[in-house]
Amino acid sequence: MKKALITGITGQDGSYLAELLLSKGYKVYGLVRRLSTPNLENIKHIYDQVQLIPGDLLDQGSLTDAIKESEADEIYNLAAQSFVKASWSQPVLTGEFTGLGVTRMLEAIRTVNPKARFYQASSSEMFGKVVETPQKETTRFHPRSPYGVAKVYGHYITLNYRESYDIFACSGILFNHESPRRGIEFVTRKITDAVARISLGKQDKLELGNLDAKRDWGFAGDYVEAMWRMLQQDKPDDYVIATGENHSVKEFVQEAFKVVGIDSWEKYVNYDNPLHLRPAEVDYLIGDYSKAKDKLGWTPKTSFKQLVEMMVKADLEREKENK
């Protein structure tokens, strides 16, 4: 039985990845921070099938202990301070978690089990102010937020450990990927939750920032399969994971309101609110996943419309249960 250790197992990606690995017969361990009220909502349905280990990306010793305890064949580093907006108010903490946290994990692998295979969650936010379209593995990075900068550090330190210590270390440059398990602070869930509440008469307005920003949005459940496939290859490498399409925030809003039968969405939405605008915006992200298709045999399965519909319907069910 293969063993896997997932940091960030309680998050969106971690929970979908845990499901996938369990379905493949893995023994799954999850690194969780010690909190007085841990949020285990995303893994409550598999809680009895995974083994949780206390640890923190800020604490080197706990990562070393987690690798020793799990004896993991594969380690997936999905934990991070991953909310771009928060990285502006907490830039140093973001650097510690999202950048240096990767180094701590790689150091723990190097000293405890250098034969373990490592996956690093890189991000399309590293491209930032894009220099070419679509973006691929060779596109130059120009991050536009402390989060994006920290992800670039994590990406390159992973490459350095691969080249310097012969560690099987891969980075997946994932473009935006969403699901009903996405945190409410992210714009996609903010939209779908608000649309559900508006349709049920529980909310009047949806407050947003820049409606013109465009993203390449996919389904997180599809993307975790790409992570797994990267660690099954003969040689480690880095891959862009995307849909090859992009849509504006405005299109996301329109599709979400369509799901609940509202066409005149404008009267429910306030936008260009300075409170919701970033100091520096990433305007146009679209990924070229041809390398992943050729080398990994991976393609996205869920369309943009299917994704939005899935999220709105899940939020409708939540709101109907929370009467």
Side-chain angles (χ1 to χ4, degrees):
M1 179 185 287
K2 275 189 174 182
K3 298 175 183 177
L5 173 64
I6 303 171
T7 74
I9 193 171
T10 60
Q12 169 188 260
D13 293 9
S15 62
Y16 280 113
L17 179 61
E19 285 177 0
L20 177 71
L21 296 178
L22 288 169
S23 75
K24 294 182 180 296
Y26 280 66
K27 170 69 174 174
V28 177
Y29 295 84
L31 190 79
V32 290
R33 296 168 67 197
R34 285 198 187 277
L35 300 170
S36 56
T37 53
N39 183 3
L40 304 175
E41 180 69 22
N42 284 335
I43 59 167
K44 64 181 181 181
H45 60 297
I46 54 170
Y47 183 76
D48 60 346
Q49 300 175 61
V50 300
Q51 186 169 330
L52 301 181
I53 300 174
D56 196 309
L57 289 182
L58 301 185
D59 180 33
Q60 183 73 55
S62 70
L63 301 182
T64 299
D65 291 343
I67 292 173
K68 285 179 181 176
E69 182 178 340
S70 65
E71 299 180 326
D73 303 291
E74 297 172 7
I75 296 166
Y76 297 85
N77 185 41
L78 309 185
Q81 190 303 98
S82 59
F83 187 37
V84 176
K85 184 180 177 184
S87 77
W88 289 104
S89 57
Q90 298 179 308
V92 176
L93 184 65
T94 299
E96 285 283 354
F97 270 117
T98 309
L100 288 176
V102 186
T103 313
R104 294 186 188 101
M105 181 57 82
L106 285 164
E107 267 298 282
I109 291 169
R110 184 181 70 82
T111 55
V112 176
N113 183 12
K115 296 300 181 186
R117 296 191 167 201
F118 177 72
Y119 171 84
Q120 165 59 14
S122 287
S123 168
S124 60
E125 288 285 332
M126 301 189 305
F127 295 122
K129 189 175 182 180
V130 298
V131 297
E132 67 176 340
T133 300
Q135 295 88 52
K136 48 187 182 285
E137 292 80 7
T138 55
T139 301
R140 184 169 61 82
F141 300 137
H142 188 148
R144 297 269 280 171
S145 67
Y147 169 77
V149 172
K151 279 293 186 183
V152 170
Y153 177 95
H155 183 84
Y156 278 128
I157 200 69
T158 300
L159 176 64
N160 269 260
Y161 271 69
R162 180 166 81 213
E163 294 178 346
S164 303
Y165 299 116
D166 199 28
I167 290 172
F168 193 108
C170 299
S171 288
I173 308 172
L174 271 59
F175 280 64
N176 293 63
H177 47 290
E178 315 299 321
S179 78
R181 299 179 194 172
R182 182 53 114 175
I184 197 73
E185 70 274 16
F186 289 84
V187 68
T188 50
R189 261 303 303 291
K190 181 180 180 180
I191 292 167
T192 60
D193 179 69
V195 167
R197 290 175 59 80
I198 287 168
S199 73
L200 297 171
K202 293 184 175 185
Q203 185 171 324
D204 297 324
K205 291 285 186 180
L206 167 59
E207 297 283 344
L208 292 171
N210 180 12
L211 292 190
D212 296 323
K214 290 190 170 185
R215 295 289 185 274
D216 184 329
W217 274 303
F219 173 47
D222 293 344
Y223 285 30
V224 296
E225 185 186 336
M227 301 176 188
W228 174 77
R229 290 189 181 208
M230 287 178 211
L231 297 197
Q232 313 315 309
Q233 302 305 302
D234 292 333
K235 293 181 180 179
D237 207 345
D238 305 325
Y239 299 87
V240 162
I241 305 300
T243 70
E245 297 178 13
N246 76 356
H247 300 271
S248 66
V249 174
K250 185 181 196 176
E251 287 176 78
F252 200 105
V253 170
Q254 289 170 327
E255 286 298 327
F257 274 103
K258 278 183 191 174
V259 176
V260 296
I262 297 174
D263 293 323
S264 54
W265 60 271
E266 291 92 342
K267 64 183 181 183
Y268 298 103
V269 180
N270 292 334
Y271 56 94
D272 286 338
N273 185 328
L275 292 174
H276 303 297
L277 296 173
R278 298 180 184 180
E281 182 57 90
V282 176
D283 294 313
Y284 194 89
L285 291 175
I286 181 168
D288 175 357
Y289 67 91
S290 55
K291 181 178 175 181
K293 184 179 180 179
D294 293 342
K295 300 281 184 70
L296 305 178
W298 179 89
T299 55
K301 300 182 179 74
T302 309
S303 72
F304 175 70
K305 287 187 177 182
Q306 288 171 329
L307 173 65
V308 178
E309 183 178 2
M310 176 200 311
M311 293 178 67
V312 173
K313 287 184 173 178
D315 279 324
L316 275 169
E317 287 303 310
R318 280 194 192 99
E319 288 302 327
K320 287 174 182 175
E321 291 171 8
N322 297 333
K323 288 183 178 178

